[in-house]
Amino acid sequence: MPASPDEVKRFEEISQLLLLPGKIFRTTYRGRFAQVDPVLDQVLGRLFAPSTPLLVYDWGASNCLTSAEWARTLFARFSNAQLVASDICLDLVEATRGKPGESWIYESGSGVLLQYLRGPFVVPYLWQDSPVFLVNRFWRWYGRRAGFSWNNIPPAFLSGSVENTAVNGWNLTRIPLAHPEARELALADTRFRMERHSIFDPAARPGHAVRTMNILNRQYFDAAQLEQSIAAVWRSLIPGGLWIVGRTTGTTDQGEQKVNQVSFLRKAAETFELVERIGPGSEIEDLGLSFRAPKE
Ligand SMILES: C[S@@+](CC[C@H](N)C(=O)[O-])C[C@H]1O[C@@H](n2cnc3c(N)ncnc32)[C@H](O)[C@@H]1O
């Protein structure tokens, strides 16, 4: 059953507040790339015939809502395309052991403990609450000590093929972080899917395009990390494939208009070539253009 408008609203409010391991925010929102997607589809239209069975990736896609929006315009132009949206974190796991009001929340890919909840106490593990909260300090220690042992997790649950499982007196439930509209699209249209993937790893199969929006930023990563991810993008593209990199700037709180600054780089023989820009382009365009293909 599709999510109700209230459920979608609640999901969107909560998902903006999530802080996950790595401390990179998951900020994304409907229409964020309304200005980017038409340009992107046009550039793809210049590079590939409409009948091409395009394989495109959207990396660091957060809840994948903007990926689902892109899928709609992409599939209208390239009906044989496939879009794979990915993020380092696509779901959480809630572990309970039958005691009402008590649960542990983990990041599913890494098993990092995020929160311990016990009655009115919510103990965070990614940041320290004030040391004057002595009871919280006790529950922090207790929650870590008494939590579920991630080594016991059944492989079928880890791979995502089941939503719930019971193991050694624990009940584990997956909490999806993908937007309800993205989940509905993935169920309705096999051309769209979501998977866990790190921007530092090449895709299993090289594709025609890789989009990395609002993730490969100097604020998040140093030059060596950015270069490692650029090498992963390179290996994830077929010759002539397109890398779309950029960020959204400006905040509506300050009355500024949000704008996207994007570079479109094509994989040539040994380097990326600039084929299009929105605004001044990406802040890491220089790193992309100075990249040299590793000698095989
Ligand atoms: C600011 S959001 C960008 C979301 C979306 N691309 C957009 O522009 O609206 C950054 C996303 O990158 C993800 N992320 C952080 N580290 C990552 C990694 N190593 N590999 C893949 N995704 C990562 C975060 O989980 C987060 O959802």
Side-chain angles (χ1 to χ4, degrees):
M1 200 174 59
S4 69
D6 272 358
E7 286 167 330
V8 171
K9 188 165 172 271
R10 201 160 56 236
F11 175 92
E12 289 179 356
E13 283 166 4
I14 293 173
S15 61
Q16 297 302 328
L17 302 173
L18 279 176
L19 184 60
L20 294 172
K23 305 200 175 164
I24 295 176
F25 277 97
R26 294 180 61 83
T27 315
T28 193
Y29 49 87
R30 191 182 300 282
R32 187 175 210 180
F33 302 131
Q35 172 209 20
V36 177
D37 290 346
V39 179
L40 169 47
D41 294 343
Q42 264 171 32
V43 175
L44 285 172
R46 291 207 303 259
L47 298 177
F48 303 105
S51 59
T52 311
L54 288 188
L55 172 60
V56 306
Y57 296 100
D58 196 11
W59 289 2
S62 183
N63 65 27
C64 305
L65 176 61
T66 51
S67 318
E69 290 179 320
W70 179 24
R72 292 201 182 90
T73 63
L74 181 77
F75 296 162
R77 190 184 270 256
F78 293 93
S79 58
N80 298 320
Q82 285 183 54
L83 194 160
V84 183
S86 63
D87 197 276
I88 192 73
C89 182
L90 281 180
D91 42 32
L92 304 178
V93 172
E94 179 181 39
T96 58
R97 51 180 185 184
K99 218 188 232 176
E102 185 184 43
S103 66
W104 285 256
I105 308 291
Y106 298 88
E107 194 276 305
S108 70
S110 59
V112 169
L113 177 59
L114 303 177
Q115 267 186 357
Y116 171 54
L117 297 104
R118 186 177 177 113
F121 296 98
V122 177
V123 181
Y125 285 92
L126 288 189
W127 50 275
Q128 288 277 344
D129 42 9
S130 167
V132 299
F133 297 149
L134 292 179
V135 181
N136 275 31
R137 277 171 70 181
F138 172 76
W139 288 129
R140 171 186 297 278
W141 167 82
Y142 175 83
R144 193 176 289 289
R145 192 176 150 271
F148 173 74
S149 168
W150 206 252
N151 298 334
N152 294 331
I153 199 153
F157 186 75
L158 208 53
S159 70
S161 52
V162 294
E163 295 305 305
N164 300 284
T165 191
V167 51
N168 298 343
W170 288 86
N171 293 310
L172 306 182
T173 307
R174 193 177 301 285
I175 304 173
L177 296 181
H179 193 283
E181 288 177 25
R183 276 184 274 151
E184 280 156 27
L185 182 62
L187 282 175
D189 191 334
T190 53
R191 294 174 298 178
F192 178 74
R193 65 189 167 84
M194 293 174 285
E195 64 181 27
R196 182 174 192 272
H197 169 264
S198 167
I199 51 158
F200 298 112
D201 298 327
R205 190 153 72 91
H208 299 77
V210 175
R211 183 167 84 166
T212 55
M213 284 299 294
N214 294 303
I215 174 68
L216 293 182
N217 298 349
R218 293 184 191 272
Q219 172 198 350
Y220 293 150
F221 300 112
D222 62 28
Q225 290 171 311
L226 291 168
E227 279 160 9
Q228 188 188 343
S229 182
I230 293 171
V233 171
W234 178 269
R235 289 174 61 191
S236 304
L237 287 171
I238 61 163
L242 187 69
W243 174 32
I244 306 97
V245 56
R247 69 185 291 184
T248 316
T249 60
T251 66
T252 44
D253 291 343
Q254 292 159 11
E256 295 169 43
Q257 181 149 27
K258 295 210 184 240
V259 289
N260 289 290
Q261 304 184 331
V262 189
S263 300
F264 297 76
L265 303 169
R266 183 174 167 271
K267 179 175 172 174
E270 289 181 357
T271 55
F272 283 109
E273 294 170 352
L274 183 68
V275 290
E276 185 69 74
R277 259 195 202 131
I278 297 179
S282 159
E283 65 184 47
I284 68 153
E285 187 187 281
D286 57 330
L287 282 183
L289 290 175
S290 58
F291 176 85
R292 293 288 170 275
K295 299 270 173 264
E296 296 298 332

